[in-house]
Amino acid sequence: MPTLQFKGKNIIWNHHLSIPYHTLDEVDKLNFHEEKSNGNLIIEGDNLLALKSLLPQYAGKVKCIFIDPPYNTGNEQWIYNDNVNNPMLKDWLGKEVGKDDLTRHDKWLCMIVPRLKLLRELLSDDGAIFITIDDNEQHFLKQIMDEIFGDENYLGTIIWQHSVQGKGYEGKFSVHHNYIICYQKYNNFTLNLLDRTDEDNTHYSNPDNDPNGLWRNGDIRNALYRPNLIYDISTPSGKTINPPENGWRFSKETMQEKMKRKQVIFNKDETRLIFKIYLKDQKGRVPETIWFAKDSGTTRTASELLKELFDGKSPFDTPKPIELIKKIITLSCDNGCLILDSFAGSGTTMHAVMDLNKEDEGNRKCILIQMPEATESDPTKNICKDITRERIKRAIDKYGYDTGFKYLKVGIPIDAETMLSGNLPTYMQFADYVYYLCTGESLKDKKSIDEKNYFVGEHSNSLIYLIYKQNFDELTRMALNLVVAEKIIANHPKKRIIVYAPACFLEEDYMKENSIEYVGIPYNLFQRSEA
């Protein structure tokens, strides 16, 4: 498969692996109807850090991902600011990406690649990702998605009519569309059908009073060449109908059965076959790759909705319409799935989830991630708190959604330098990370964590312990010693035991004899023990 080359690719291709995990700290005063949050989260912070920090709890659990990243038009005032330890990329930091930047496509790809890799890890095995984009990066995005997700997992590219107003460009086409590029994680994703409309049913009739009801003529030819489907058909009057170039749609036996049931009939002069597709057998409408504004909304209708919520003024440029996101969610998951948007913007995705849940009494959950986007000239700017959160809060109040959300901030990194400086995560936060780092999976039952006895959880035939307290002075005196080990062994004989602790005072032979493995914190924290 061809690969896309760009400046900085060799530097950032595995950059997501070097990103430290961070705590996700709840901001109680910014929660809204917390008792009804039901898994809905709004996360404030850099989405690269936030995505990495979601892995311990959500790896492989997100059914539908929708993102609307910067289109890199040169007018968005975005800055490549990922903390990459390389002189070339450091030279890019803090510089606005404009139209005259000859490396703007390289910068955009350097920004999007590590995020796409983390998003893929969060996606469930039967999940799919939908990415809106325009002509500036569409061709590059398709190529890089082929590399990260595999070209065999490409589902299609939707053309969405985002505008119905003419652009007025002299001597150029008036562009009225954006793209939505769709990929599945593996070949396990099933695209749901859309509800049929009256318009979909207009081509069905019943001119021969077929007892099976309304029908339309279907294609009886085979799409691909199949020698075993090439055979002549004799008509009642003795005529012969030759097969199509690629053969018939059905085997000879199946064709005879359908003729017997009169689902396949001859036309009046017996020169061709008519294959009936019955309306009663149509469960839904197969989605197409062209989405018109009348069904999927436009940027303008999205702005009008924001104006309704924000007292007559839209606080966000080019928001996505709720109809568009609802359609994506309807096609990609059931009413109990988890949806993620890591470029949340005005919060349309969570609004769409809440609206769908109200319509069908569903139990969908949503996670939004949005940066504050403060600048030197506007240090108090906070899109996440003042627009994303505020929009969802107002929508809940205005439309009577029976739900709420928790508000989190990306906190401190869980790494050696941070921990040795005295900035420590809570036991629950640390235990969550330790379990994931040890097993590569998220801890299914948080209730298993027993801080008093240092127990984190069980995986396969292994038990995971964390000797730790959120107190630096106490932590310096804690260790895996004989007293602790004997207690663990007594509770779990003949089990493999993995213990994370600041120090270990046990003999190597004793540990081997009792199947105890020690991982030192913080320095050896990130070596996976394959529990």
Side-chain angles (χ1 to χ4, degrees), residues 75-90:
N75 300 316
E76 294 159 313
Q77 300 179 325
W78 74 279
I79 295 171
Y80 178 82
N81 58 1
D82 287 352
N83 187 23
V84 182
N85 189 24
N86 178 272
M88 182 195 78
L89 297 190
K90 281 187 174 183

Side-chain angles (χ1 to χ4, degrees), residues 471-489:
N471 182 298
F472 191 77
D473 290 336
E474 290 186 59
L475 193 59
T476 58
R477 298 190 294 271
M478 299 180 78
L480 171 59
N481 54 36
L482 189 60
V483 174
V484 174
E486 291 291 338
K487 186 176 179 182
I488 293 173
I489 294 165

Side-chain angles (χ1 to χ4, degrees), residues 176-195:
H176 290 243
H177 71 277
N178 286 156
Y179 305 96
I180 305 171
I181 293 181
C182 317
Y183 280 77
Q184 61 185 348
K185 186 172 183 178
Y186 298 117
N187 191 25
N188 297 326
F189 175 73
T190 301
L191 196 65
N192 295 329
L193 298 175
L194 294 170
D195 292 335

Side-chain angles (χ1 to χ4, degrees), residues 199-234:
E199 186 178 347
D200 296 325
N201 300 334
T202 55
H203 301 294
Y204 291 81
S205 61
N206 194 358
D208 59 348
N209 295 315
D210 190 315
N212 288 303
L214 300 172
W215 58 272
R216 66 173 176 82
N217 193 359
D219 194 346
I220 202 164
R221 301 170 299 173
N222 197 49
L224 301 174
Y225 176 72
R226 295 277 298 276
N228 61 315
L229 298 180
I230 294 177
Y231 52 87
D232 293 338
I233 293 178
S234 298

Side-chain angles (χ1 to χ4, degrees), residues 337-487:
C337 65
L338 175 63
I339 298 105
L340 169 66
D341 183 348
S342 58
F343 291 86
S346 67
T348 303
T349 301
M350 188 175 284
H351 191 165
V353 168
M354 296 188 303
D355 206 60
L356 274 175
N357 282 343
K358 184 178 181 180
E359 284 180 10
D360 62 11
E361 298 182 350
N363 190 35
R364 303 171 187 86
K365 303 169 181 63
C366 184
I367 299 174
L368 300 182
I369 303 171
Q370 177 58 44
M371 294 177 65
E373 297 192 19
T375 62
E376 197 173 308
S377 60
D378 191 1
T380 62
K381 183 179 181 180
N382 193 330
I383 289 177
C384 189
K385 179 172 73 71
D386 299 331
I387 298 178
T388 314
R389 176 191 179 275
E390 188 64 22
R391 187 252 182 92
I392 302 305
K393 173 181 172 293
R394 293 185 183 207
I396 291 171
D397 284 339
K398 183 176 179 66
Y399 302 111
Y401 300 133
D402 188 25
T403 189
F405 58 82
K406 289 185 178 181
Y407 192 96
L408 309 179
K409 274 188 178 181
V410 175
I412 59 171
I414 303 179
D415 59 10
E417 184 179 348
T418 305
M419 293 182 70
L420 290 171
S421 71
N423 290 322
L424 303 173
T426 66
Y427 190 92
M428 291 291 287
Q429 288 173 330
F430 202 8
D432 211 16
Y433 286 107
V434 160
Y435 185 89
Y436 176 75
L437 293 165
C438 184
T439 67
E441 298 178 11
S442 57
L443 185 58
K444 294 180 177 63
D445 184 12
K446 294 271 177 55
K447 293 178 182 177
S448 70
I449 297 175
D450 182 357
E451 182 175 356
K452 183 179 178 182
N453 293 303
Y454 307 131
F455 180 67
V456 174
E458 187 169 358
H459 184 270
S460 189
N461 196 43
S462 300
L463 298 156
I464 302 162
Y465 280 80
L466 171 64
I467 299 173
Y468 170 82
K469 283 191 177 179
Q470 194 186 14
N471 182 298
F472 191 77
D473 290 336
E474 290 186 59
L475 193 59
T476 58
R477 298 190 294 271
M478 299 180 78
L480 171 59
N481 54 36
L482 189 60
V483 174
V484 174
E486 291 291 338
K487 186 176 179 182

